[in-house]
Amino acid sequence: MKQNHHNQKYKTLKMNNKTLLKNLRCIPDFPIKGVNFRDVTTLFKSAECLRIMNEELYELYKDKGITKIVGIESRGFVMSSALALKLRAGIVLCRKPGKLPCETIQETYTKEYGTDTIEIHKDAINENDTILLHDDLLATGGTMKAAYDLVKKFNPKKIYVNFIIELVNEDLNGRAAFDAGTQIDTLIQI
């Protein structure tokens, strides 16, 4: 168990697979000067990296009773879909407003330069579900925390949170956004 400065306990898997690290592209000064963007698309285009990520994710969640995986728009859709097949779980899309065709439930959250909103179909999750929330990267945690709060409105049995990459930086401290006891797992910490 790892503790952050808020004395919240989290289970963290720190695999840092060498093949994944070798294939992860870093783009300096994107989207703004001073930011080193971690581009997971280089992991997605490699069949070997996809296999490694799917196997590592499966090992993390195979015994958790996951019934649905919520993929966060849009890079979160890739591994959530692959893992859902392996876990025999359903997939729920968490999208920006206006992208889902039926009635939705929304969550609005604050970003660095304003607010944003995400939504899920109103009938996507129920109280019998065990949910895995998945996205590509944990930095500040804002989008995933909003998705977490949104999913909590459905009152599922349990919610797990997963990222492919976690940026470990005191200025970002994405884990601090979540409730104490939230299980957050990552495959790569940088």
Side-chain angles (χ1 to χ4, degrees):
M1 300 293 272
K2 180 179 181 178
Q3 291 186 327
N4 69 13
H5 70 279
H6 293 288
N7 292 326
Q8 296 173 321
K9 293 181 180 181
Y10 300 100
K11 179 183 175 196
T12 302
L13 184 68
K14 188 175 179 183
M15 291 188 170
N16 284 342
N17 180 286
K18 290 178 184 178
T19 301
L20 298 180
L21 288 170
K22 184 178 87 178
N23 283 279
L24 181 63
R25 178 168 43 201
C26 179
I27 302 171
D29 298 322
F30 182 84
I32 60 172
K33 188 168 180 62
V35 172
N36 288 318
F37 184 80
R38 305 301 174 163
D39 182 13
V40 296
T41 64
T42 54
L43 301 179
F44 296 157
K45 74 178 183 178
S46 163
E48 179 65 7
C49 289
L50 279 172
R51 184 192 61 74
I52 291 168
M53 289 186 295
N54 208 35
E55 285 179 7
E56 289 183 359
L57 289 169
Y58 178 73
E59 287 302 315
L60 279 169
Y61 300 108
K62 67 182 179 185
D63 298 323
K64 304 292 187 200
I66 304 294
T67 57
K68 294 187 180 133
I69 302 176
V70 176
I72 311 301
E73 187 169 337
S74 66
R75 290 180 297 269
F77 296 165
V78 177
M79 291 312 301
S80 59
S81 298
L83 183 59
L85 287 171
K86 195 160 182 154
L87 289 175
R88 297 176 188 240
I91 185 162
V92 174
L93 303 181
C94 183
R95 304 211 59 193
K96 300 209 184 261
K99 305 278 185 172
L100 295 171
C102 292
E103 190 175 353
T104 62
I105 295 178
Q106 296 184 335
E107 184 74 24
T108 299
Y109 61 102
T110 303
K111 295 172 60 172
E112 290 178 44
Y113 305 105
T115 61
D116 210 344
T117 301
I118 54 173
E119 59 185 16
I120 293 175
H121 276 139
K122 190 174 184 178
D123 62 355
I125 298 169
N126 65 57
E127 65 279 350
N128 295 315
D129 284 319
T130 299
I131 303 298
L132 172 60
L133 285 163
H134 173 76
D135 205 358
D136 66 325
L137 182 102
L138 172 59
T140 63
T143 302
M144 182 60 87
K145 177 60 164 92
Y148 179 83
D149 290 343
L150 179 57
V151 168
K152 279 175 60 174
K153 292 177 182 180
F154 291 91
N155 296 312
K157 288 181 187 176
K158 176 86 175 154
I159 304 171
Y160 297 93
V161 177
N162 174 265
F163 300 90
I164 296 170
I165 302 165
E166 177 181 5
L167 301 180
V168 182
N169 178 319
E170 288 181 17
D171 294 333
L172 298 174
N173 197 16
R175 288 180 179 262
F178 295 88
D179 299 336
T182 304
Q183 183 173 327
I184 302 172
D185 300 305
T186 62
L187 298 184
I188 301 170
Q189 290 183 329
I190 298 173

